[in-house]
PDB file of all heavy atoms in Angstrom:
ATOM      1  N   ARG R  15      59.330  54.765 -50.818  1.00 44.00           N
ATOM      2  CA  ARG R  15      60.646  54.219 -50.525  1.00 44.00           C
ATOM      3  C   ARG R  15      61.751  55.181 -50.943  1.00 44.00           C
ATOM      4  O   ARG R  15      62.768  55.304 -50.277  1.00 44.00           O
ATOM      5  CB  ARG R  15      60.838  52.873 -51.233  1.00 44.00           C
ATOM      6  CG  ARG R  15      59.826  51.809 -50.822  1.00 44.00           C
ATOM      7  CD  ARG R  15      59.906  51.505 -49.340  1.00 44.00           C
ATOM      8  NE  ARG R  15      58.876  50.564 -48.949  1.00 44.00           N
ATOM      9  CZ  ARG R  15      59.007  49.234 -49.041  1.00 44.00           C
ATOM     10  NH1 ARG R  15      60.105  48.726 -49.523  1.00 44.00           N
ATOM     11  NH2 ARG R  15      58.036  48.442 -48.645  1.00 44.00           N
ATOM     12  N   ARG R  18      62.342  57.807 -48.375  1.00 47.00           N
ATOM     13  CA  ARG R  18      62.815  57.361 -47.074  1.00 47.00           C
ATOM     14  C   ARG R  18      64.310  57.618 -46.952  1.00 47.00           C
ATOM     15  O   ARG R  18      65.082  57.261 -47.822  1.00 47.00           O
ATOM     16  CB  ARG R  18      62.512  55.860 -46.922  1.00 47.00           C
ATOM     17  CG  ARG R  18      62.772  55.324 -45.528  1.00 47.00           C
ATOM     18  CD  ARG R  18      62.527  53.830 -45.481  1.00 47.00           C
ATOM     19  NE  ARG R  18      61.117  53.502 -45.512  1.00 47.00           N
ATOM     20  CZ  ARG R  18      60.674  52.254 -45.597  1.00 47.00           C
ATOM     21  NH1 ARG R  18      61.510  51.255 -45.684  1.00 47.00           N
ATOM     22  NH2 ARG R  18      59.370  52.031 -45.613  1.00 47.00           N
ATOM     23  N   HIS R  22      67.844  52.434 -41.976  1.00 63.00           N
ATOM     24  CA  HIS R  22      67.182  51.206 -41.552  1.00 63.00           C
ATOM     25  C   HIS R  22      66.060  50.796 -42.495  1.00 63.00           C
ATOM     26  O   HIS R  22      65.418  49.771 -42.263  1.00 63.00           O
ATOM     27  CB  HIS R  22      66.603  51.387 -40.147  1.00 63.00           C
ATOM     28  CG  HIS R  22      67.630  51.737 -39.114  1.00 63.00           C
ATOM     29  ND1 HIS R  22      68.541  50.820 -38.642  1.00 63.00           N
ATOM     30  CD2 HIS R  22      67.902  52.904 -38.481  1.00 63.00           C
ATOM     31  CE1 HIS R  22      69.329  51.410 -37.747  1.00 63.00           C
ATOM     32  NE2 HIS R  22      68.953  52.672 -37.633  1.00 63.00           N
ATOM     33  N   GLY R  23      65.810  51.553 -43.544  1.00 68.00           N
ATOM     34  CA  GLY R  23      64.673  51.256 -44.406  1.00 68.00           C
ATOM     35  C   GLY R  23      65.031  51.099 -45.860  1.00 68.00           C
ATOM     36  O   GLY R  23      64.837  52.027 -46.642  1.00 68.00           O
ATOM     37  N   ARG R  24      65.556  49.950 -46.247  1.00 81.00           N
ATOM     38  CA  ARG R  24      65.829  49.676 -47.657  1.00 81.00           C
ATOM     39  C   ARG R  24      64.976  48.492 -48.094  1.00 81.00           C
ATOM     40  O   ARG R  24      64.944  47.462 -47.416  1.00 81.00           O
ATOM     41  CB  ARG R  24      67.310  49.348 -47.866  1.00 81.00           C
ATOM     42  CG  ARG R  24      68.234  50.525 -47.606  1.00 81.00           C
ATOM     43  CD  ARG R  24      69.698  50.158 -47.842  1.00 81.00           C
ATOM     44  NE  ARG R  24      70.197  49.198 -46.863  1.00 81.00           N
ATOM     45  CZ  ARG R  24      70.462  47.925 -47.116  1.00 81.00           C
ATOM     46  NH1 ARG R  24      70.241  47.416 -48.312  1.00 81.00           N
ATOM     47  NH2 ARG R  24      70.921  47.134 -46.164  1.00 81.00           N
ATOM     48  N   PRO R  25      64.269  48.603 -49.207  1.00 85.00           N
ATOM     49  CA  PRO R  25      63.423  47.496 -49.663  1.00 85.00           C
ATOM     50  C   PRO R  25      64.218  46.196 -49.733  1.00 85.00           C
ATOM     51  O   PRO R  25      65.340  46.167 -50.236  1.00 85.00           O
ATOM     52  CB  PRO R  25      62.980  47.957 -51.060  1.00 85.00           C
ATOM     53  CG  PRO R  25      63.044  49.448 -50.994  1.00 85.00           C
ATOM     54  CD  PRO R  25      64.220  49.769 -50.122  1.00 85.00           C
ATOM     55  N   ASP R  26      63.640  45.143 -49.207  1.00 90.00           N
ATOM     56  CA  ASP R  26      64.303  43.848 -49.217  1.00 90.00           C
ATOM     57  C   ASP R  26      64.013  43.130 -50.533  1.00 90.00           C
ATOM     58  O   ASP R  26      62.852  42.904 -50.881  1.00 90.00           O
ATOM     59  CB  ASP R  26      63.811  42.995 -48.035  1.00 90.00           C
ATOM     60  CG  ASP R  26      64.678  41.775 -47.829  1.00 90.00           C
ATOM     61  OD1 ASP R  26      64.584  40.841 -48.657  1.00 90.00           O
ATOM     62  OD2 ASP R  26      65.449  41.741 -46.862  1.00 90.00           O
ATOM     63  N   GLU R  27      65.049  42.784 -51.260  1.00 92.00           N
ATOM     64  CA  GLU R  27      64.883  42.193 -52.581  1.00 92.00           C
ATOM     65  C   GLU R  27      64.178  40.844 -52.525  1.00 92.00           C
ATOM     66  O   GLU R  27      63.492  40.448 -53.467  1.00 92.00           O
ATOM     67  CB  GLU R  27      66.246  42.047 -53.266  1.00 92.00           C
ATOM     68  CG  GLU R  27      66.898  43.368 -53.641  1.00 92.00           C
ATOM     69  CD  GLU R  27      66.013  44.178 -54.590  1.00 92.00           C
ATOM     70  OE1 GLU R  27      65.399  43.569 -55.490  1.00 92.00           O
ATOM     71  OE2 GLU R  27      65.915  45.406 -54.407  1.00 92.00           O
ATOM     72  N   ARG R  28      64.321  40.113 -51.430  1.00 93.00           N
ATOM     73  CA  ARG R  28      63.668  38.802 -51.331  1.00 93.00           C
ATOM     74  C   ARG R  28      62.154  38.933 -51.213  1.00 93.00           C
ATOM     75  O   ARG R  28      61.407  38.154 -51.801  1.00 93.00           O
ATOM     76  CB  ARG R  28      64.256  38.036 -50.136  1.00 93.00           C
ATOM     77  CG  ARG R  28      65.710  37.645 -50.363  1.00 93.00           C
ATOM     78  CD  ARG R  28      66.455  37.432 -49.078  1.00 93.00           C
ATOM     79  NE  ARG R  28      66.613  38.683 -48.321  1.00 93.00           N
ATOM     80  CZ  ARG R  28      67.358  38.786 -47.232  1.00 93.00           C
ATOM     81  NH1 ARG R  28      68.008  37.726 -46.764  1.00 93.00           N
ATOM     82  NH2 ARG R  28      67.470  39.942 -46.592  1.00 93.00           N
ATOM     83  N   ILE R  29      61.697  39.942 -50.480  1.00 93.00           N
ATOM     84  CA  ILE R  29      60.266  40.204 -50.405  1.00 93.00           C
ATOM     85  C   ILE R  29      59.774  40.777 -51.731  1.00 93.00           C
ATOM     86  O   ILE R  29      58.683  40.440 -52.210  1.00 93.00           O
ATOM     87  CB  ILE R  29      59.954  41.152 -49.235  1.00 93.00           C
ATOM     88  CG1 ILE R  29      60.291  40.465 -47.905  1.00 93.00           C
ATOM     89  CG2 ILE R  29      58.489  41.584 -49.258  1.00 93.00           C
ATOM     90  CD1 ILE R  29      60.068  41.319 -46.679  1.00 93.00           C
ATOM     91  N   ALA R  30      60.599  41.624 -52.349  1.00 92.00           N
ATOM     92  CA  ALA R  30      60.231  42.194 -53.650  1.00 92.00           C
ATOM     93  C   ALA R  30      60.037  41.098 -54.697  1.00 92.00           C
ATOM     94  O   ALA R  30      59.160  41.203 -55.564  1.00 92.00           O
ATOM     95  CB  ALA R  30      61.298  43.176 -54.111  1.00 92.00           C
ATOM     96  N   ARG R  31      60.828  40.035 -54.622  1.00 93.00           N
ATOM     97  CA  ARG R  31      60.679  38.939 -55.581  1.00 93.00           C
ATOM     98  C   ARG R  31      59.352  38.222 -55.413  1.00 93.00           C
ATOM     99  O   ARG R  31      58.741  37.775 -56.389  1.00 93.00           O
ATOM    100  CB  ARG R  31      61.840  37.946 -55.432  1.00 93.00           C
ATOM    101  CG  ARG R  31      63.128  38.399 -56.097  1.00 93.00           C
ATOM    102  CD  ARG R  31      64.088  37.249 -56.275  1.00 93.00           C
ATOM    103  NE  ARG R  31      64.564  36.712 -55.011  1.00 93.00           N
ATOM    104  CZ  ARG R  31      65.644  37.155 -54.370  1.00 93.00           C
ATOM    105  NH1 ARG R  31      66.363  38.143 -54.884  1.00 93.00           N
ATOM    106  NH2 ARG R  31      66.021  36.610 -53.235  1.00 93.00           N
ATOM    107  N   VAL R  32      58.892  38.102 -54.173  1.00 93.00           N
ATOM    108  CA  VAL R  32      57.593  37.471 -53.926  1.00 93.00           C
ATOM    109  C   VAL R  32      56.484  38.293 -54.583  1.00 93.00           C
ATOM    110  O   VAL R  32      55.571  37.751 -55.214  1.00 93.00           O
ATOM    111  CB  VAL R  32      57.336  37.322 -52.411  1.00 93.00           C
ATOM    112  CG1 VAL R  32      55.930  36.779 -52.153  1.00 93.00           C
ATOM    113  CG2 VAL R  32      58.370  36.404 -51.778  1.00 93.00           C
ATOM    114  N   VAL R  33      56.561  39.616 -54.433  1.00 93.00           N
ATOM    115  CA  VAL R  33      55.568  40.495 -55.049  1.00 93.00           C
ATOM    116  C   VAL R  33      55.639  40.379 -56.570  1.00 93.00           C
ATOM    117  O   VAL R  33      54.613  40.297 -57.256  1.00 93.00           O
ATOM    118  CB  VAL R  33      55.786  41.956 -54.598  1.00 93.00           C
ATOM    119  CG1 VAL R  33      54.846  42.892 -55.340  1.00 93.00           C
ATOM    120  CG2 VAL R  33      55.589  42.089 -53.089  1.00 93.00           C
ATOM    121  N   ALA R  34      56.867  40.356 -57.111  1.00 93.00           N
ATOM    122  CA  ALA R  34      57.039  40.251 -58.563  1.00 93.00           C
ATOM    123  C   ALA R  34      56.454  38.951 -59.093  1.00 93.00           C
ATOM    124  O   ALA R  34      55.833  38.914 -60.166  1.00 93.00           O
ATOM    125  CB  ALA R  34      58.517  40.356 -58.921  1.00 93.00           C
ATOM    126  N   LEU R  66      51.582  48.114 -51.330  1.00 90.00           N
ATOM    127  CA  LEU R  66      52.428  47.551 -50.282  1.00 90.00           C
ATOM    128  C   LEU R  66      52.144  48.281 -48.970  1.00 90.00           C
ATOM    129  O   LEU R  66      52.608  49.395 -48.762  1.00 90.00           O
ATOM    130  CB  LEU R  66      53.907  47.668 -50.657  1.00 90.00           C
ATOM    131  CG  LEU R  66      54.297  47.121 -52.033  1.00 90.00           C
ATOM    132  CD1 LEU R  66      55.806  47.166 -52.223  1.00 90.00           C
ATOM    133  CD2 LEU R  66      53.776  45.708 -52.232  1.00 90.00           C
ATOM    134  N   PHE R  67      51.325  47.660 -48.134  1.00 88.00           N
ATOM    135  CA  PHE R  67      50.930  48.213 -46.839  1.00 88.00           C
ATOM    136  C   PHE R  67      50.173  49.526 -46.965  1.00 88.00           C
ATOM    137  O   PHE R  67      50.132  50.329 -46.044  1.00 88.00           O
ATOM    138  CB  PHE R  67      52.150  48.387 -45.930  1.00 88.00           C
ATOM    139  CG  PHE R  67      52.937  47.125 -45.769  1.00 88.00           C
ATOM    140  CD1 PHE R  67      54.197  47.000 -46.324  1.00 88.00           C
ATOM    141  CD2 PHE R  67      52.407  46.045 -45.101  1.00 88.00           C
ATOM    142  CE1 PHE R  67      54.917  45.829 -46.215  1.00 88.00           C
ATOM    143  CE2 PHE R  67      53.110  44.863 -44.985  1.00 88.00           C
ATOM    144  CZ  PHE R  67      54.364  44.751 -45.541  1.00 88.00           C
ATOM    145  N   LEU R  93      50.207  43.548 -50.347  1.00 94.00           N
ATOM    146  CA  LEU R  93      51.113  43.110 -49.292  1.00 94.00           C
ATOM    147  C   LEU R  93      50.679  43.807 -48.016  1.00 94.00           C
ATOM    148  O   LEU R  93      50.626  45.035 -47.952  1.00 94.00           O
ATOM    149  CB  LEU R  93      52.558  43.463 -49.630  1.00 94.00           C
ATOM    150  CG  LEU R  93      53.625  42.933 -48.656  1.00 94.00           C
ATOM    151  CD1 LEU R  93      53.679  41.406 -48.686  1.00 94.00           C
ATOM    152  CD2 LEU R  93      54.992  43.519 -48.984  1.00 94.00           C
ATOM    153  N   VAL R 139      54.271  35.428 -46.507  1.00 93.00           N
ATOM    154  CA  VAL R 139      55.564  35.909 -46.987  1.00 93.00           C
ATOM    155  C   VAL R 139      56.576  35.843 -45.838  1.00 93.00           C
ATOM    156  O   VAL R 139      56.454  36.600 -44.876  1.00 93.00           O
ATOM    157  CB  VAL R 139      55.451  37.361 -47.507  1.00 93.00           C
ATOM    158  CG1 VAL R 139      56.806  37.844 -48.016  1.00 93.00           C
ATOM    159  CG2 VAL R 139      54.386  37.462 -48.589  1.00 93.00           C
ATOM    160  N   PRO R 140      57.554  34.955 -45.913  1.00 92.00           N
ATOM    161  CA  PRO R 140      58.559  34.871 -44.838  1.00 92.00           C
ATOM    162  C   PRO R 140      59.395  36.143 -44.765  1.00 92.00           C
ATOM    163  O   PRO R 140      59.719  36.754 -45.784  1.00 92.00           O
ATOM    164  CB  PRO R 140      59.428  33.678 -45.255  1.00 92.00           C
ATOM    165  CG  PRO R 140      58.637  32.931 -46.273  1.00 92.00           C
ATOM    166  CD  PRO R 140      57.795  33.957 -46.968  1.00 92.00           C
ATOM    167  N   ILE R 141      59.723  36.544 -43.558  1.00 93.00           N
ATOM    168  CA  ILE R 141      60.588  37.698 -43.349  1.00 93.00           C
ATOM    169  C   ILE R 141      61.996  37.190 -43.055  1.00 93.00           C
ATOM    170  O   ILE R 141      62.203  36.491 -42.065  1.00 93.00           O
ATOM    171  CB  ILE R 141      60.080  38.561 -42.183  1.00 93.00           C
ATOM    172  CG1 ILE R 141      58.667  39.076 -42.481  1.00 93.00           C
ATOM    173  CG2 ILE R 141      61.029  39.734 -41.935  1.00 93.00           C
ATOM    174  CD1 ILE R 141      58.049  39.829 -41.340  1.00 93.00           C
ATOM    175  N   PRO R 142      62.972  37.506 -43.899  1.00 93.00           N
ATOM    176  CA  PRO R 142      64.340  37.029 -43.663  1.00 93.00           C
ATOM    177  C   PRO R 142      64.896  37.548 -42.340  1.00 93.00           C
ATOM    178  O   PRO R 142      64.548  38.639 -41.886  1.00 93.00           O
ATOM    179  CB  PRO R 142      65.126  37.607 -44.849  1.00 93.00           C
ATOM    180  CG  PRO R 142      64.097  37.905 -45.893  1.00 93.00           C
ATOM    181  CD  PRO R 142      62.861  38.304 -45.139  1.00 93.00           C
ATOM    182  N   LEU R 143      65.769  36.764 -41.735  1.00 92.00           N
ATOM    183  CA  LEU R 143      66.366  37.158 -40.461  1.00 92.00           C
ATOM    184  C   LEU R 143      67.117  38.477 -40.589  1.00 92.00           C
ATOM    185  O   LEU R 143      67.131  39.285 -39.661  1.00 92.00           O
ATOM    186  CB  LEU R 143      67.319  36.059 -39.967  1.00 92.00           C
ATOM    187  CG  LEU R 143      67.967  36.276 -38.598  1.00 92.00           C
ATOM    188  CD1 LEU R 143      66.910  36.324 -37.503  1.00 92.00           C
ATOM    189  CD2 LEU R 143      68.990  35.190 -38.309  1.00 92.00           C
ATOM    190  N   ASP R 144      67.733  38.696 -41.742  1.00 91.00           N
ATOM    191  CA  ASP R 144      68.481  39.931 -41.967  1.00 91.00           C
ATOM    192  C   ASP R 144      67.721  40.878 -42.888  1.00 91.00           C
ATOM    193  O   ASP R 144      68.324  41.609 -43.690  1.00 91.00           O
ATOM    194  CB  ASP R 144      69.860  39.628 -42.554  1.00 91.00           C
ATOM    195  CG  ASP R 144      69.774  38.850 -43.870  1.00 91.00           C
ATOM    196  OD1 ASP R 144      68.680  38.338 -44.195  1.00 91.00           O
ATOM    197  OD2 ASP R 144      70.806  38.770 -44.576  1.00 91.00           O
ATOM    198  N   CYS R 145      66.413  40.890 -42.777  1.00 92.00           N
ATOM    199  CA  CYS R 145      65.562  41.730 -43.617  1.00 92.00           C
ATOM    200  C   CYS R 145      66.038  43.187 -43.581  1.00 92.00           C
ATOM    201  O   CYS R 145      66.305  43.738 -42.506  1.00 92.00           O
ATOM    202  CB  CYS R 145      64.116  41.634 -43.149  1.00 92.00           C
ATOM    203  SG  CYS R 145      62.951  42.587 -44.148  1.00 92.00           S
ATOM    204  N   THR R 146      66.133  43.791 -44.761  1.00 88.00           N
ATOM    205  CA  THR R 146      66.651  45.155 -44.838  1.00 88.00           C
ATOM    206  C   THR R 146      65.569  46.219 -44.801  1.00 88.00           C
ATOM    207  O   THR R 146      65.867  47.418 -44.790  1.00 88.00           O
ATOM    208  CB  THR R 146      67.467  45.350 -46.140  1.00 88.00           C
ATOM    209  OG1 THR R 146      66.599  45.149 -47.268  1.00 88.00           O
ATOM    210  CG2 THR R 146      68.628  44.390 -46.196  1.00 88.00           C
ATOM    211  N   ASP R 147      64.302  45.819 -44.805  1.00 87.00           N
ATOM    212  CA  ASP R 147      63.221  46.789 -44.806  1.00 87.00           C
ATOM    213  C   ASP R 147      63.069  47.406 -43.422  1.00 87.00           C
ATOM    214  O   ASP R 147      63.715  46.982 -42.463  1.00 87.00           O
ATOM    215  CB  ASP R 147      61.920  46.134 -45.265  1.00 87.00           C
ATOM    216  CG  ASP R 147      61.037  47.102 -46.026  1.00 87.00           C
ATOM    217  OD1 ASP R 147      60.882  48.237 -45.545  1.00 87.00           O
ATOM    218  OD2 ASP R 147      60.503  46.726 -47.079  1.00 87.00           O
ATOM    219  N   GLY R 148      62.184  48.400 -43.304  1.00 82.00           N
ATOM    220  CA  GLY R 148      62.132  49.170 -42.076  1.00 82.00           C
ATOM    221  C   GLY R 148      60.939  48.930 -41.179  1.00 82.00           C
ATOM    222  O   GLY R 148      60.746  49.676 -40.219  1.00 82.00           O
ATOM    223  N   PHE R 149      60.103  47.913 -41.459  1.00 87.00           N
ATOM    224  CA  PHE R 149      58.956  47.674 -40.582  1.00 87.00           C
ATOM    225  C   PHE R 149      59.418  46.915 -39.332  1.00 87.00           C
ATOM    226  O   PHE R 149      60.482  46.284 -39.315  1.00 87.00           O
ATOM    227  CB  PHE R 149      57.850  46.912 -41.312  1.00 87.00           C
ATOM    228  CG  PHE R 149      58.307  45.666 -42.037  1.00 87.00           C
ATOM    229  CD1 PHE R 149      58.457  44.477 -41.360  1.00 87.00           C
ATOM    230  CD2 PHE R 149      58.562  45.699 -43.399  1.00 87.00           C
ATOM    231  CE1 PHE R 149      58.852  43.331 -42.010  1.00 87.00           C
ATOM    232  CE2 PHE R 149      58.965  44.560 -44.076  1.00 87.00           C
ATOM    233  CZ  PHE R 149      59.115  43.373 -43.377  1.00 87.00           C
ATOM    234  N   ALA R 152      60.795  43.338 -39.209  1.00 91.00           N
ATOM    235  CA  ALA R 152      62.083  43.097 -39.874  1.00 91.00           C
ATOM    236  C   ALA R 152      63.199  42.867 -38.863  1.00 91.00           C
ATOM    237  O   ALA R 152      64.234  42.287 -39.184  1.00 91.00           O
ATOM    238  CB  ALA R 152      62.437  44.274 -40.779  1.00 91.00           C
ATOM    239  N   ARG R 156      66.860  40.877 -34.445  1.00 92.00           N
ATOM    240  CA  ARG R 156      67.817  41.926 -34.064  1.00 92.00           C
ATOM    241  C   ARG R 156      67.120  42.949 -33.166  1.00 92.00           C
ATOM    242  O   ARG R 156      66.986  44.121 -33.531  1.00 92.00           O
ATOM    243  CB  ARG R 156      68.371  42.606 -35.311  1.00 92.00           C
ATOM    244  CG  ARG R 156      69.171  41.684 -36.234  1.00 92.00           C
ATOM    245  CD  ARG R 156      69.340  42.304 -37.608  1.00 92.00           C
ATOM    246  NE  ARG R 156      68.077  42.344 -38.337  1.00 92.00           N
ATOM    247  CZ  ARG R 156      67.811  43.226 -39.307  1.00 92.00           C
ATOM    248  NH1 ARG R 156      68.678  44.156 -39.624  1.00 92.00           N
ATOM    249  NH2 ARG R 156      66.658  43.179 -39.937  1.00 92.00           N
TER     250      ARG R 156
END
Side-chain angles (χ1 to χ4, degrees):
R15 300 300 176 85
R18 189 183 286 174
H22 301 287
R24 293 181 292 108
D26 192 287
E27 292 301 320
R28 292 156 293 188
I29 295 178
R31 281 197 294 271
V32 175
V33 174
L66 308 186
F67 306 111
L93 186 65
V139 181
I141 300 175
L143 184 63
D144 58 347
C145 182
T146 62
D147 213 314
F149 50 83
R156 297 164 290 155

